[in-house]
Amino acid sequence: MPTQDDLYPSRLGGREQIIPRQDPVVYGGEPTKSGASLERAQLDHYEKNGYLVLPGYMPEMVEPLLAEIEQLRGELRGCEELVCEPESDELRTIFNPCGFSGHIERFFRHPKILPLVRQLLGSDVYLMQSRVNNKPAFTGRSFAWHSDFETWHVEDGMPRMRALTAWIMLSESHQHNGPLYVIPGSHKLYVSCCGRTAEDNYKSSLRRQVLGVPRPETMREVLRDREIHAITGMPGTLVIHECNLLHGSPDNISNDPRKVLMCVYNSVENKPVTPFGDLKPRPDFLSSRDYSPVSLAAA
């Protein structure tokens, strides 16, 4: 794979700094009159805050998706794609459900989802990564503050900020069961983190991320004039968040498990190059090498 200049250096040693974003947030155009489309107010909200929440968007899909995930959970037992909690053998993440389930893969090409993604990214896209995030009741542990792009840039070679994650809530997400926390506006900053990345870092980071996590003093600077927002909602809520948005989640301290199904879309004009952390690429289930543009599935 070709290399190119590193506009977003990170994990180069002991120094940590905040770098201004050098890429657009919204690449696409105005709303369309045919098919699913985001309105101008929604595009403006995404550009300013780095995420969108669409309540009650696809509730009819929840039960079929849950059934499919439960089947995958049994079929993939013992595979690397299943990641457990850092302190137990309870399920934390299932990676690459799109690769194992045609039903899930078609869901992420649904006419109510894919056009929105193309509109925001301004191009055809491919499915870079998919996963189920599972927060068991009482024992589901936190995810530290991080930018997805920082990891994808350093460990996978994603060159620019032209990707996003779309996800559907498969259970209620409320204040007490470890909801996703975001910092609106933080996607316009890039935290160049300290440390250096070892080979196969993913084998430990998927259970507990340490590298790519901004230091407390950096987070104090980010939060100086920004607030933390919890993304909550009912099953069927669709969320889209920008690749560089700082986000994390607390422990699940409730009796209610939390489950979401996610897909990362990358622009076909933003194909990975050699990882900027001078590493071998991570496995395909974390960053797909199939860059074929995806097409709309039947509704």
Side-chain angles (χ1 to χ4, degrees):
M1 291 183 290
T3 58
Q4 63 182 60
D5 293 340
D6 188 355
L7 298 178
Y8 298 106
S10 190
R11 308 188 203 176
L12 299 179
R15 187 182 179 198
E16 185 162 292
Q17 59 181 323
I18 297 175
I19 300 173
R21 182 190 182 104
Q22 300 186 50
D23 293 310
V25 176
V26 176
Y27 289 79
E30 294 298 319
T32 62
K33 294 183 179 180
S34 60
S37 179
L38 295 170
E39 300 298 326
R40 170 46 56 189
Q42 293 172 311
L43 294 171
D44 291 344
H45 184 279
Y46 184 84
E47 198 282 333
K48 178 181 178 182
N49 297 290
Y51 70 97
L52 283 172
V53 180
L54 304 176
Y57 196 66
M58 303 178 81
E60 74 282 0
M61 299 302 298
V62 171
E63 289 304 321
L65 289 171
L66 283 171
E68 194 76 3
I69 289 167
E70 191 59 32
Q71 182 173 331
L72 284 181
R73 184 172 181 168
E75 292 175 353
L76 298 177
R77 191 179 305 277
C79 294
E80 192 174 28
E81 286 84 355
L82 265 65
V83 178
C84 295
E85 286 288 335
E87 298 164 359
S88 73
D89 291 330
E90 291 197 72
L91 180 67
R92 183 175 176 89
T93 308
I94 301 175
F95 279 98
N96 197 28
C98 283
F100 296 105
S101 166
H103 180 72
I104 292 175
E105 192 267 349
R106 287 189 296 274
F107 170 74
F108 283 116
R109 295 190 290 114
H110 196 285
K112 290 184 70 173
I113 299 177
L114 187 56
L116 310 186
V117 172
R118 288 172 170 168
Q119 184 182 8
L120 288 169
L121 297 181
S123 71
D124 282 329
V125 298
Y126 70 95
L127 307 184
M128 189 193 99
Q129 183 194 103
S130 59
R131 62 189 184 272
V132 177
N133 276 357
N134 186 62
K135 278 271 187 84
F138 299 117
T139 60
R141 294 305 176 223
S142 64
F143 288 81
W145 287 116
H146 66 285
S147 152
D148 290 332
F149 174 76
E150 192 274 346
T151 292
W152 299 337
H153 184 72
V154 173
E155 300 190 37
D156 297 323
M158 180 183 285
R160 308 298 291 262
M161 296 178 183
R162 197 171 180 178
L164 58 79
T165 301
W167 50 282
I168 185 171
M169 296 181 188
L170 298 179
S171 59
E172 182 180 359
S173 180
H174 57 71
Q175 293 283 354
H176 308 298
N177 67 344
L180 189 75
Y181 285 171
V182 299
I183 303 176
S186 62
H187 62 303
K188 296 188 177 181
L189 309 173
Y190 177 72
V191 179
S192 174
C193 295
C194 61
R196 294 188 183 276
T197 314
E199 289 289 347
D200 296 332
N201 175 62
Y202 74 92
K203 292 182 178 179
S204 60
S205 68
L206 297 182
R207 298 187 74 175
R208 188 193 303 275
Q209 186 169 357
V210 176
L211 293 171
V213 174
R215 292 175 168 176
E217 55 267 32
T218 304
M219 291 305 304
R220 279 193 284 271
E221 179 63 26
V222 171
L223 290 166
R224 188 182 304 277
D225 55 359
R226 297 173 183 86
E227 297 180 348
I228 296 171
H229 177 72
I231 297 183
T232 58
M234 300 301 293
T237 297
L238 187 76
V239 182
I240 301 174
H241 75 259
E242 205 276 333
C243 65
N244 189 49
L245 182 69
L246 282 170
H247 61 285
S249 65
D251 291 351
N252 183 352
I253 59 172
S254 80
N255 191 38
D256 300 321
R258 183 176 75 90
K259 185 172 293 182
V260 301
L261 176 63
M262 320 181 83
C263 184
V264 177
Y265 300 84
N266 190 25
S267 168
V268 296
E269 299 176 15
N270 192 40
K271 297 172 185 174
V273 296
T274 302
F276 290 91
D278 194 25
L279 307 162
K280 66 181 181 183
R282 296 193 300 172
D284 280 11
F285 73 84
L286 295 176
S287 183
S288 173
R289 272 74 165 180
D290 183 355
Y291 309 130
S292 304
V294 293
S295 59
L296 281 175

